[in-house]
Amino acid sequence: MTDRLKALADAGVSIWLDDLSRERLETGNLAELVETRSVVGVTTNPSIFAAALADGERYDEEVGALAEAGAGVDLAVFELTTTDVRNACDLLRPVYDATGGLDGRVSIEVSPDLAFDTAATLESARALWAEVDRPNLLVKIPATTEGGPAITDALGEGISVNVTLIFGLGRYREVMEAYVAGLEKADAAGLDLSGIQSVASFFVSRVDTEIDKRLEAIGSDEALALRGKAGVANARLAYRAFEEFFTGERWQALAAKGAHRQRPLWASTGVKNPDYRDTMYVADLVVPETVNTMPEKTLEAFADHGEVLGDQVRPFYDDAQAHMDALAAVGIDYDDVISTLEQEGVDKFVASWKELLETVSGQLEQSGRKAQQ
C-alpha cells in the first residue's frame, strides 16, 4: 500500500476507481488495487463499459450464450454490465463489511436516455437493484429536474443511490433535499435507515474546461489570470453547502434513526489541461467524509507524487467565494455555465450509451454468424 494513497485515505477521503472491466476482475487487477492502492470502491458509466466490451475477448462466451438465446441488445447490455458489477460487489464485500457499509461500493448507471423521464428512471433503478442483488450496490441516477423525484422514490424503497452529473450549487442543494426526502419516505415505510447509503457526484474538471474556454474568449489579463481555479473553488463551496445542509432538527431526527449523511463524491478528477498539476483535483480537495473517484492514471499519479497537506477545503471557503465573485466580475455567467454543462453531461452519456449498444449489437451479430458457420 503506497504511503501517499494511505495518507489520503487516512485524511478521510475514500478512494474509488473510476473504471471496471471483466479483465480487471478476472486477472486479479482490481483485487490488487484494493490490496495495494487503498481502493475501496468502484464507479462505472456507459463509456467505461463500451471501452471494456470493445477491447476484451473475455465477454465472448457470455455474448455467444446471449446471442444463442435470441437476446436483444438492451437485454444483452443489461446482463453483461450487471454481471461485472455483481462480481465487483462480491470482490469488495469485505471492504463493505469492514466499513459498516460506508465503502466497498460499486456503482451502475440507469440508462442515460431516461434522464428526463422520472417513471422510467425509477423503473430502471429497481431493475438494476434487483438484478445485481447486492447490498453494496449504488444505482447512479442523474441530477436532472426529472431525476430528483426518482432519486427520492428509489431511496424511499431502500435503494442506495449515487446521484451523478452534479455541476452547480443550486442543483446540489436540490439533490441533498431529494436525499433527505427519500430517507423520510423510507422511514415512513418502516425501513432501516442505517442500510441506505448515498453519494452526490459533484463534477470538477469539466467546470474548469468550460470556464477556461470562456475566460480565453474574454482574453483580458484579468480574465486569463483566473483560469484553472473554478473547478476546485466550486467544489469547495459545495462542501460548505454539505456542512450547512446536514444540520438542524430535520436531519438530527433522521440521524437518530441511523441515517448517514450523503457524502460528496468528487468526480471527473482526471486533469484535462496538461498545463495543470495532474493531481490537483485530488490534492486540492482533501477533506474528511468525501469520496474521490479517479481514473487509474490519476490514481497512479497520486501514488507517485501526490501530496496530502491537511484539510484543503474548509479553510478556503472565503477564497473560493472570492474566486467565483471575480469570475462574475469579468463576465462569466455561472448559471449559464452550469446549464451548458448539465446538458452536455447528459448528451455525452447518451452518446456513450448509444456507442455501448452499437458495440454489443455488433458482437451479438458476429457471434450469431459464427454459430451458423
Side-chain angles (χ1 to χ4, degrees):
M1 189 174 293
T2 72
D3 291 342
R4 295 176 189 277
L5 290 170
K6 184 178 184 303
L8 184 63
D10 289 345
V13 179
S14 291
I15 301 167
W16 292 6
L17 178 71
D18 191 28
D19 194 41
L20 182 64
S21 67
R22 196 155 296 183
E23 182 174 2
R24 283 194 188 279
L25 288 161
E26 293 183 353
T27 62
N29 170 265
L30 180 57
E32 183 181 357
L33 292 175
V34 171
E35 182 71 25
T36 67
R37 291 292 188 265
S38 301
V39 169
V40 292
V42 171
T43 50
T44 68
N45 60 47
S47 298
I48 286 169
F49 280 126
L53 282 154
D55 294 342
E57 297 177 354
R58 295 176 183 272
Y59 296 93
D60 290 354
E61 183 177 344
E62 188 175 1
V63 169
L66 287 163
E68 188 176 348
V73 65
D74 289 316
L75 176 60
V77 168
F78 183 80
E79 292 290 338
L80 292 164
T81 57
T82 54
T83 296
D84 280 0
V85 168
R86 185 184 306 108
N87 290 336
C89 283
D90 289 344
L91 190 155
L92 284 159
R93 183 60 186 263
V95 176
Y96 169 86
D97 292 336
T99 60
L102 186 71
D103 287 311
R105 296 278 173 173
V106 184
S107 296
I108 188 170
E109 188 162 352
V110 299
S111 304
D113 54 356
L114 307 178
F116 302 108
D117 186 332
T118 301
T121 293
L122 179 59
E123 185 180 345
S124 177
R126 287 170 175 157
L128 290 167
W129 185 256
E131 181 67 19
V132 175
D133 193 25
R134 297 293 186 271
N136 49 333
L137 179 70
L138 289 173
V139 177
K140 289 176 81 171
I141 299 176
T144 55
T145 300
E146 295 81 2
I151 292 161
T152 294
D153 288 346
L155 290 160
E157 296 177 15
I159 297 172
S160 292
V161 174
N162 175 345
V163 184
T164 190
L165 286 181
I166 308 169
F167 297 94
L169 299 172
R171 183 72 78 190
Y172 179 42
R173 292 186 183 95
E174 293 174 5
V175 166
M176 291 187 286
E177 178 65 37
Y179 173 62
V180 169
L183 290 178
E184 289 170 341
K185 288 190 74 167
D187 183 46
L191 300 181
D192 178 6
L193 300 188
S194 68
I196 302 172
Q197 282 279 358
S198 182
V199 293
S201 293
F202 202 87
F203 282 53
V204 186
S205 67
R206 293 191 200 178
V207 174
D208 274 333
T209 300
E210 181 64 25
I211 288 182
D212 283 2
K213 181 173 67 176
R214 297 182 184 213
L215 290 170
E216 287 162 6
I218 294 168
S220 67
D221 290 345
E222 186 181 12
L224 295 176
L226 297 173
R227 289 177 296 179
K229 301 172 185 175
V232 167
N234 194 44
R236 285 170 172 168
L237 294 178
Y239 195 85
R240 183 174 69 177
F242 159 75
E243 288 200 307
E244 291 170 351
F245 187 89
F246 288 103
T247 56
E249 291 182 11
R250 185 184 181 195
W251 173 250
Q252 291 305 325
L254 292 166
K257 296 178 179 180
H260 306 279
R261 300 210 292 185
Q262 182 188 49
R263 289 185 295 170
L265 178 152
W266 310 132
S268 185
T269 55
V271 174
K272 307 287 194 294
N273 188 329
D275 294 334
Y276 299 157
R277 288 178 297 123
D278 58 0
T279 59
M280 63 183 281
Y281 298 127
V282 182
D284 293 355
L285 292 174
V286 173
V287 65
E289 209 172 345
T290 55
V291 177
N292 197 304
T293 186
M294 313 174 205
E296 189 171 16
K297 182 179 178 181
T298 303
L299 180 78
E300 293 300 336
F302 200 91
D304 180 67
H305 53 267
E307 291 185 294
V308 178
L309 302 173
D311 187 339
Q312 296 297 296
V313 173
R314 289 176 291 196
F316 300 101
Y317 288 157
D318 289 345
D319 290 346
Q321 187 60 59
H323 184 76
M324 302 312 280
D325 292 343
L327 289 171
V330 300
I332 298 298
D333 183 337
Y334 179 82
D335 290 340
D336 186 66
V337 167
I338 298 307
S339 176
T340 298
L341 288 170
E342 285 183 346
Q343 187 59 56
E344 283 183 356
V346 173
D347 289 346
K348 285 178 181 178
F349 272 1
V350 169
S352 297
W353 184 252
K354 288 180 179 176
E355 180 188 352
L356 176 56
L357 292 175
E358 289 169 3
T359 298
V360 173
S361 179
Q363 291 179 339
L364 287 170
E365 290 174 10
Q366 183 179 10
S367 184
R369 286 195 298 269
K370 283 182 180 178
Q372 292 172 356
Q373 290 174 357

